[in-house]
């Protein structure tokens, strides 16, 4: 089992920054972030392997940076240049196995989510 607890969400003006954190009971090889805006599907934001190899979606690449601290069992998402379109519930996720791709259903473990509001 893996328990994930997000923190760091909040309200920020467009152009501002936030850093999300995810405290994990156990780190898997593949961890990342999904988000869901009202009326929209879950969207993969970013993911990262144990070795630190990152993937970022095209919508956030260049603005968001995913990272992890394996010693602290913590996953991060630094979000810069936030846009109103980034407003969503952000979920920390974890996938079992050696690969680090997939749809939401492929990620077995989810946090409760943290809300990001951009005005």
């Amino acid at each position: 089992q893996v328990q994930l607890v997000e923190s760091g969400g909040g309200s920020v003006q467009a152009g501002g920054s936030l850093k999300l954190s995810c405290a994990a009971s156990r780190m898997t090889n593949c961890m990342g972030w999904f988000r869901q805006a009202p009326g929209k599907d879950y969207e993969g934001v970013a993911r990262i392997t144990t070795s630190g190899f990152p993937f970022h979606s095209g919508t956030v690449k260049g603005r968001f940076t995913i990272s992890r601290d394996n010693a602290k069992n913590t996953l991060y998402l630094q979000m810069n240049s936030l846009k109103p379109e980034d407003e969503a519930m952000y979920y920390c996720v974890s996938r079992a196995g050696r690969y680090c791709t997939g749809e939401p259903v492929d990620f077995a473990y989810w946090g409760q989510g943290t809300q990001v509001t951009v005005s």
Side-chain angles (χ1 to χ4, degrees), residues 38-114:
K40 295 188 176 182
D41 295 331
Y42 290 101
E43 177 188 4
V45 177
R47 54 194 184 275
I48 189 169
T49 63
T50 300
S51 64
F53 189 79
F55 299 86
H56 297 86
S57 73
T59 57
V60 307
K61 190 173 184 179
R63 299 188 297 120
F64 293 9
T65 303
I66 190 171
S67 62
R68 59 191 286 168
D69 188 328
N70 296 321
K72 296 181 178 180
N73 281 7
T74 304
L75 179 73
Y76 303 98
L77 184 68
Q78 178 66 53
M79 304 184 294
N80 298 324
S81 300
L82 283 161
K83 304 176 181 180
E85 299 93 304
D86 296 318
E87 182 167 318
M89 185 72 73
Y90 284 73
Y91 297 91
C92 177
V93 299
S94 175
R95 175 183 174 139
R98 68 174 66 187
Y99 300 111
C100 204
T101 60
E103 300 176 346
V105 69
D106 297 312
F107 291 80
Y109 305 106
W110 291 64
Q112 82 287 347
T114 186

Side-chain angles (χ1 to χ4, degrees), residues 24-41:
S25 63
R26 178 171 61 85
M27 303 287 274
T28 64
N29 181 58
C30 181
M31 301 186 68
W33 298 88
F34 278 80
R35 68 185 183 185
Q36 186 179 42
K40 295 188 176 182
D41 295 331

